[in-house]
Amino acid sequence: MRTDLNRSETMTSKGVRRLTHTHRRLSALLLATASSLIFLSSTNAQPQFPLPSSFVNPLIGSTGPEPNLSGGTIPSVSPPFGSCRWVVQNQQNWVSQTPFNYSDNYQVHGFIGTRQPAIWMGESAWVGVVPGSGDKIKTGWDERGMNRVNGSEEFGVGFYGVELEQEKGKVKVEMSATSRVGHFRFTFTGTEQPYIFVPVTRRSALFHDGDIFDHSYFPTGTVELTEPGKGGGSLQVCGSNDEMQDQVLVPTSIAENASNFKGFFCAQFSVHSSYGITLGNTTKERVVSGSGRELGAFIRFNAASKASTVVDVRIGTSLISTDQARKNIDNEIPESDKVEATRKKTEAKWAEKLGRFEIDTDDEEGKTVFLTGIVRAMQFPYEVHDPSPTGASQYYSGYDNAVHEGDSYSGYSIWDTYRAAWPLQLLFAPERIPGLIRSMLHDYQEGGWLPMWKNIVETKTMVSTHADSLLSEGIRKGFMSAFTDEDLKIMWQAVWKDASVPPANDGSTVYSDRQEGVDFEVRAGLTTYLNESMGWVADDVHSESVSRTLDYAYDDHVLSILSSLLPVQITSIVNNTNVTEFLNARARRNIWTVWNDNATAKGEGNGKGYVQARFLNGSFNSDITSGFTEGTREVYSFSQGFVWGDLIHDLIERRGGVSRFVDSLDEFFDGGEVDFTNEPSHHTPYLYALASPDHARSTQKRVRELAKANFNNAPEGLSGNEDCGQTSSWYIFSAMGFYPVDPASGEYVFDQDPHGTYNSTTDSYVLQILAEGAENKWFVDDVRVNGVSKRDTWRVKHEDIVWGGVIEFDMTD
Ligand SMILES: *[C@@H]1O[C@H](CO)[C@@H](O)[C@H](O)[C@H]1NC(C)=O
Ligand SMILES: *[C@@H]1O[C@H](CO)[C@@H](O)[C@H](O)[C@H]1NC(C)=O
Ligand SMILES: *[C@@H]1O[C@H](CO)[C@@H](O)[C@H](O)[C@H]1NC(C)=O
Ligand SMILES: *[C@@H]1O[C@H](CO)[C@@H](O)[C@H](O)[C@H]1NC(C)=O
Ligand SMILES: *[C@@H]1O[C@H](CO)[C@@H](O)[C@H](O)[C@H]1NC(C)=O
Ligand SMILES: *[C@@H]1O[C@H](CO)[C@@H](O)[C@H](O)[C@H]1NC(C)=O
Ligand SMILES: *[C@@H]1O[C@H](CO)[C@@H](O)[C@H](O)[C@H]1NC(C)=O
Ligand SMILES: *[C@@H]1O[C@H](CO)[C@@H](O)[C@H](O)[C@H]1NC(C)=O
Ligand SMILES: *[C@@H]1O[C@H](CO)[C@@H](O)[C@H](O)[C@H]1NC(C)=O
Ligand SMILES: *[C@@H]1O[C@H](CO)[C@@H](O)[C@H](O)[C@H]1NC(C)=O
Ligand SMILES: *[C@@H]1O[C@H](CO)[C@@H](O)[C@H](O)[C@H]1NC(C)=O
């Protein structure tokens, strides 16, 4: 780590960036403590606040009528950014189905440590544990189902508890977890022949092109049981499992290396009487090892007459080895720790995050949605590294099938999270940012490209190379000092490759969503985008061509920012061209290549000028629905690629001036084109305020309406997928009163004169957000940041709030 204030000042002095946040005030009277950007949150910081767990509802977003209309969240137990998340399981999980879907009346089929990061992504390296009783070990999914004792269930971020009925008696389950280790206490009461089944491999499902499920995928694995040594200790059940449901999406050049991927586990049982393995529904008593499909292990306990049998189980996980999984147990949950101690440890980690917010409001529902959202925004990407023998970290990489030194994370839903989740983490999880960035650089070094959607390895899901945005914003917001010149060189090489090297067979491969058997997708269609007599992705060659063109232009814009911040000797390598100007000009030019001035609104609308797909030969595709991903031409005509710097004024002019532009926004919202089940709409309500301060009220109204319509304190409380924290992050920023419409912009200064109060106990700066009466008053007359009115622009710079201070909203009805 390095601090180089002089260099930073030099760089900002030539910067022209502005506009990070538009002001909006939504629901609560908030008092938030934003931690500083320079990693002041030291690792030994103790949580200072009681965990406001009564204001976290882990069930929010855990059901919906169908996968697209569900948050796809699960009420999991794990610390922030935890490697494995443990959850009560009521359904098998695969792409489109998570391990838990809330309903009033469900049976419990076991407990799973999951690495499925989102409802539309696959599981990998799961671990499971299922209590039961009777002579026969119930290995089948249906026969494992157990009724819950009414009223016995407790959901929390660091604990889950339930009592499950058995044929005779019942079993009480108490579950907690650290990042790499699940911790259970099973208390069997009045049961006959109690046991615990450890499923190792299962029949799984692959999600192929064209939504075809093939249910005959059988991952394989191994298991081995070891008696405690003479000195006592635990019975150990260790093994591995090669399940990776998204294996069909792995880019071809790394597919062979990634095919070696395995998840490892090691479970330690405090007591046992006998044990064995299972294959399918065959039980093999006293057999101590096995391998193959539908494999499992079981451990029986002597039910000592009528007394309860209490079993403590700790299950370590690792992507490196069973040995490492065992070490992770020793590291995270010593044998003497009871489940209560683990719960306390994990809740303390959440308290450190949640305790940064002190919210004073009568709106209890809003407060619960807000704090639950913080939990959701601090789960991904998740840690895949383990401690190394030297005390640093090490991780398994599926890109090159090797173990490396350093940090690594998985679960990068970047097309979603670049919008608000990453900006939120930059503010409230700054201690993670250097590792999260390094992880992306490792992916580049080991696999050749930065991640797009990393689920263990790249899956080529969604479009464009928005890691460019994450890196640019991270550097823009003060994290350059965490990196050496060598790191920064690698960073620039990686993003420049995104911006200049098309994927393999670019002219002939469609790179459709989840296309199988192709290499890294990156900026598919870059060849024609780079061609100076074209500049767009051709709709007759590539899928999602308009979305791609707009997103590539956005990424050019953010890289222009990055290039202006990195040391000049690193970026000035491109043909003696000024790369900052080059990328800025390319973004401004190419984005208009898919704009058709003559296109008109559907039906009676007066909207004029829309984005539209273009063919290789230059003509527009008359099918106005072609070329988009997770959105329509209406929403993409307000793309984030258009709304940075003064480019938004060009967009406004194309639509015929401010008044017609605002009319077209009204048409968009009132005509039901806004769609909060997907991300491309997220920034759109803020465009009124950007268009003109005179229209800020419309932003205020739309944001409030969208928040109320799409976020509720209920299991069906999210109208669209959470997408690794992006959806909740929209709510959190909106509730605080501002939103990162153009995340990587905004001038960062190493401000030596912070406005806010530094609190050495919490190692953070205090940002107060005051909005009296906001529960009932929707509109804002004025907003002052540290006393300075922002009513003329409705914008605030990152550095004006990151050091704390006061934002005061004057609310009105
Ligand atoms: C969840 O379960 C309910 C009730 O069984 C069902 O109607 C719904 O479709 C399921 N939702 C998802 C997202 O699977
Ligand atoms: C769900 O969304 C996906 C991705 O946008 C889409 O392909 C699929 O058709 C949708 N499914 C339903 C049932 O609407
Ligand atoms: C047990 O195995 C038999 C024979 O393969 C099969 O028909 C049955 O469905 C299995 N039962 C369970 C519960 O898996
Ligand atoms: C479960 O308990 C709740 C109240 O705790 C009650 O309303 C409900 O009827 C009970 N359900 C059953 C099946 O006993
Ligand atoms: C596979 O991994 C090995 C190192 O483990 C590496 O040398 C090789 O380049 C990798 N293959 C590809 C295609 O990346
Ligand atoms: C660029 O596009 C023009 C117009 O389609 C085409 O004639 C030319 O061959 C392209 N150049 C390259 C290098 O592909
Ligand atoms: C740099 O020069 C090379 C070789 O002439 C050319 O292929 C490349 O497109 C140029 N890059 C830029 C950014 O102009
Ligand atoms: C590149 O252009 C930008 C914007 O015009 C300017 O600020 C910067 O100093 C230039 N960089 C170099 C290395 O000349
Ligand atoms: C729009 O219409 C005008 C008048 O018919 C025509 O000159 C122009 O080329 C058209 N522009 C596009 C992009 O089709
Ligand atoms: C351009 O290409 C499209 C798609 O191949 C074709 O339908 C259209 O007729 C072509 N237009 C011209 C002017 O050649
Ligand atoms: C600093 O934080 C601690 C812990 O929350 C709190 O008790 C104390 O009042 C704070 N001090 C100031 C000056 O705000």
Side-chain angles (χ1 to χ4, degrees):
M1 200 164 114
R2 174 186 70 163
T3 46
D4 189 348
L5 298 180
N6 289 338
R7 193 177 64 181
S8 306
E9 278 160 11
T10 312
M11 283 178 307
T12 51
S13 67
K14 69 182 180 192
V16 288
R17 263 114 254 124
R18 56 202 177 87
L19 166 62
T20 28
H21 306 131
T22 57
H23 283 286
R24 267 290 298 113
R25 171 73 207 132
L26 179 67
S27 63
L29 177 66
L30 279 170
L31 193 130
T33 57
S35 98
S36 104
L37 281 186
I38 49 168
F39 324 128
L40 291 174
S41 309
S42 55
T43 48
N44 62 0
Q46 295 298 309
Q48 300 298 329
F49 300 87
L51 178 68
S53 57
S54 56
F55 286 102
V56 172
N57 177 1
L59 292 172
I60 292 177
S62 65
T63 191
E66 53 106 339
N68 289 340
L69 304 180
S70 164
T73 60
I74 55 171
S76 59
V77 172
S78 78
F81 307 99
S83 188
C84 211
R85 294 175 305 132
W86 287 88
V87 70
V88 52
Q89 196 177 6
N90 66 12
Q91 56 182 15
Q92 285 289 23
N93 62 318
W94 49 67
V95 178
S96 79
Q97 188 161 302
T98 58
F100 179 88
N101 170 29
Y102 179 84
S103 64
D104 289 337
N105 206 354
Y106 58 85
Q107 285 199 315
V108 171
H109 294 254
F111 302 88
I112 185 171
T114 177
R115 290 189 172 87
Q116 182 181 14
I119 192 165
W120 284 107
M121 299 307 286
E123 174 71 285
S124 350
W126 59 276
V127 224
V129 59
V130 191
S133 59
D135 183 46
K136 181 183 187 302
I137 305 296
K138 302 183 188 81
T139 59
W141 177 260
D142 290 334
E143 62 180 351
R144 273 159 54 178
M146 293 166 275
N147 291 325
R148 296 163 296 154
V149 173
N150 197 18
S152 68
E153 221 171 5
E154 179 184 346
F155 290 97
V157 291
F159 179 79
Y160 168 83
V162 70
E163 286 180 45
L164 301 171
E165 291 169 3
Q166 300 294 299
E167 272 150 44
K168 282 189 182 149
K170 61 187 183 184
V171 55
K172 178 174 175 183
V173 184
E174 294 162 284
M175 174 175 92
S176 186
T178 54
S179 179
R180 299 165 188 82
V181 187
H183 196 178
F184 290 82
R185 181 166 54 218
F186 297 97
T187 306
F188 295 91
T189 308
T191 48
E192 279 175 7
Q193 294 181 281
Y195 66 80
I196 288 169
F197 169 55
V198 179
V200 177
T201 52
R202 63 177 177 183
R203 176 178 172 173
S204 183
L206 297 177
F207 185 83
H208 282 289
D209 279 1
D211 295 16
I212 299 161
F213 278 103
D214 176 350
H215 285 275
S216 62
Y217 163 50
F218 287 94
T220 65
T222 59
V223 69
E224 188 168 359
L225 294 93
T226 318
E227 281 272 8
K230 285 203 173 67
S234 311
L235 173 79
Q236 297 201 116
V237 181
C238 304
S240 68
N241 168 353
D242 68 5
E243 184 165 334
M244 178 160 55
Q245 293 176 344
D246 282 346
Q247 59 182 272
V248 293
L249 302 179
V250 174
T252 49
S253 65
I254 57 160
E256 197 185 326
N257 276 348
S259 70
N260 295 298
F261 170 81
K262 283 186 188 65
F264 299 91
F265 73 93
C266 213
Q268 300 186 342
F269 289 78
S270 62
V271 295
H272 70 279
S273 58
S274 68
Y275 45 80
I277 67 162
T278 63
L279 275 168
N281 53 24
T282 317
T283 299
K284 302 191 171 190
E285 303 279 350
R286 286 174 300 280
V287 172
V288 297
S289 67
S291 63
R293 304 165 155 199
E294 294 187 280
L295 175 72
F298 62 90
I299 299 87
R300 294 187 189 276
F301 314 98
N302 279 329
S305 65
K306 290 191 178 55
S308 295
T309 302
V310 180
V311 188
D312 182 279
V313 187
R314 293 166 297 151
I315 310 179
T317 67
S318 171
L319 302 186
I320 295 177
S321 65
T322 49
D323 222 39
Q324 184 65 47
R326 194 181 304 115
K327 285 181 188 148
N328 289 343
I329 303 182
D330 297 340
N331 255 330
E332 296 186 1
I333 309 185
E335 198 167 358
S336 56
D337 274 11
K338 296 200 182 320
V339 170
E340 286 78 3
T342 305
R343 172 183 191 164
K344 214 169 153 191
K345 201 149 62 181
T346 293
E347 288 187 347
K349 294 218 161 89
W350 281 115
E352 191 277 319
K353 288 279 166 262
L354 294 165
R356 292 180 185 214
F357 300 87
E358 202 177 305
I359 304 176
D360 179 3
T361 179
D362 296 333
D363 177 3
E364 300 216 332
E365 169 155 38
K367 186 169 169 175
T368 303
V369 172
F370 186 102
L371 289 173
T372 306
I374 294 292
V375 172
R376 296 285 159 63
M378 302 287 162
Q379 290 181 317
F380 301 104
Y382 66 87
E383 296 172 334
V384 303
H385 51 270
D386 293 321
S388 78
T390 65
S393 25
Q394 56 178 346
Y395 63 93
Y396 170 81
S397 166
Y399 290 94
D400 63 0
N401 188 37
V403 174
H404 301 266
E405 283 278 315
D407 285 2
S408 185
Y409 290 82
S410 181
Y412 282 80
S413 187
I414 298 179
W415 184 84
D416 302 295
T417 57
Y418 85 88
R419 300 159 202 266
W422 180 251
L424 196 79
Q425 291 174 352
L426 286 163
L427 278 171
F428 296 111
E431 72 284 354
R432 292 278 169 175
I433 301 299
L436 288 165
I437 288 179
R438 270 177 223 289
S439 173
M440 293 190 272
L441 301 182
H442 293 153
D443 296 345
Y444 164 71
Q445 288 173 291
E446 291 147 20
W449 294 95
L450 290 167
M452 287 171 71
W453 214 127
K454 180 187 182 187
N455 186 15
I456 303 293
V457 290
E458 184 52 49
T459 64
K460 316 181 282 20
T461 305
M462 303 313 297
V463 299
S464 202
T465 54
H466 293 316
D468 302 344
S469 186
L470 270 52
L471 296 172
S472 302
E473 188 184 2
I475 295 303
R476 169 63 185 77
K477 293 186 175 171
F479 289 89
M480 183 145 68
S481 59
F483 299 97
T484 62
D485 275 348
E486 195 47 42
D487 294 332
L488 297 177
K489 246 179 235 163
I490 293 164
M491 183 185 294
W492 180 254
Q493 273 170 17
V495 298
W496 182 250
K497 188 176 178 187
D498 283 347
S500 61
V501 180
N505 307 313
D506 194 28
S508 55
T509 305
V510 177
Y511 288 106
S512 57
D513 189 38
R514 294 169 196 260
Q515 184 172 349
E516 294 168 28
V518 299
D519 207 4
F520 286 90
E521 172 174 327
V522 289
R523 295 201 201 177
L526 189 66
T527 312
T528 52
Y529 178 91
L530 292 181
N531 181 332
E532 284 182 11
S533 56
M534 294 183 67
W536 63 89
V537 176
D539 201 49
D540 39 354
V541 181
H542 293 291
S543 68
E544 304 157 321
S545 63
V546 185
S547 299
R548 288 183 196 278
T549 306
L550 301 170
D551 280 9
Y552 299 173
Y554 169 82
D555 283 335
D556 280 353
H557 152 62
V558 299
L559 290 186
S560 168
I561 293 175
L562 180 64
S563 72
S564 74
L565 300 173
L566 291 177
V568 106
Q569 68 274 17
I570 290 179
T571 58
S572 63
I573 49 174
V574 191
N575 299 0
N576 293 322
T577 323
N578 180 324
V579 70
T580 302
E581 290 179 349
F582 171 79
L583 287 168
N584 184 288
R586 194 168 86 185
R588 286 170 184 276
R589 183 181 66 242
N590 286 359
I591 195 142
W592 297 112
T593 63
V594 288
W595 183 269
N596 180 359
D597 273 324
N598 295 346
T600 52
K602 292 180 287 199
E604 297 301 304
N606 7 323
K608 195 178 143 304
Y610 286 92
V611 290
Q612 197 168 332
R614 274 179 97 169
F615 294 123
L616 210 48
N617 63 21
S619 53
F620 283 108
N621 188 343
S622 58
D623 176 1
I624 60 168
T625 65
S626 187
F628 302 103
T629 185
E630 299 201 354
T632 58
R633 72 161 189 161
E634 280 70 20
V635 59
Y636 273 102
S637 297
F638 297 117
S639 157
Q640 274 182 301
F642 289 116
V643 297
W644 52 272
D646 54 6
L647 197 58
I648 188 167
H649 299 303
D650 296 350
L651 178 68
I652 290 167
E653 285 316 307
R654 296 264 182 163
R655 275 274 162 99
V658 170
S659 151
R660 300 192 81 138
F661 178 76
V662 166
D663 286 349
S664 73
L665 274 170
D666 281 342
E667 237 161 56
F668 172 73
F669 285 99
D670 296 334
E673 298 285 354
V674 61
D675 174 13
F676 258 54
T677 68
N678 273 316
E679 278 72 8
S681 288
H682 279 186
H683 66 288
T684 56
Y686 291 91
L687 298 184
Y688 289 101
L690 274 184
S692 153
D694 298 340
H695 295 284
R697 269 185 196 196
S698 295
T699 289
Q700 293 154 19
K701 174 165 167 276
R702 302 290 185 191
V703 168
R704 186 81 69 137
E705 286 169 349
L706 289 163
K708 292 210 179 293
N710 296 291
F711 297 85
N712 292 288
N713 179 17
E716 59 282 0
L718 297 180
S719 56
N721 298 164
E722 174 62 272
D723 290 330
C724 295
Q726 168 56 29
T727 296
S728 286
S729 296
W730 181 88
Y731 184 91
I732 293 161
F733 272 112
S734 295
M736 291 194 298
F738 49 91
Y739 189 84
V741 172
D742 180 17
S745 68
E747 198 173 349
Y748 185 86
V749 181
F750 278 95
D751 190 337
Q752 300 304 299
D753 181 23
H755 310 285
T757 319
Y758 175 65
N759 186 325
S760 59
T761 315
T762 56
D763 218 356
S764 59
Y765 288 87
V766 178
L767 175 68
Q768 278 189 305
I769 304 177
L770 306 173
E772 194 147 8
E775 290 93 339
N776 303 313
K777 297 175 181 174
W778 286 24
F779 299 99
V780 181
D781 258 350
D782 192 8
V783 54
R784 288 173 300 283
V785 177
N786 300 310
V788 179
S789 169
K790 299 285 176 180
R791 205 187 181 291
D792 53 339
T793 59
W794 297 97
R795 297 174 193 187
V796 64
K797 289 180 190 161
H798 182 67
E799 45 275 25
D800 286 342
I801 58 170
V802 72
W803 302 100
V806 187
I807 306 179
E808 292 165 280
F809 292 90
D810 295 341
M811 304 307 294
T812 171
D813 51 15

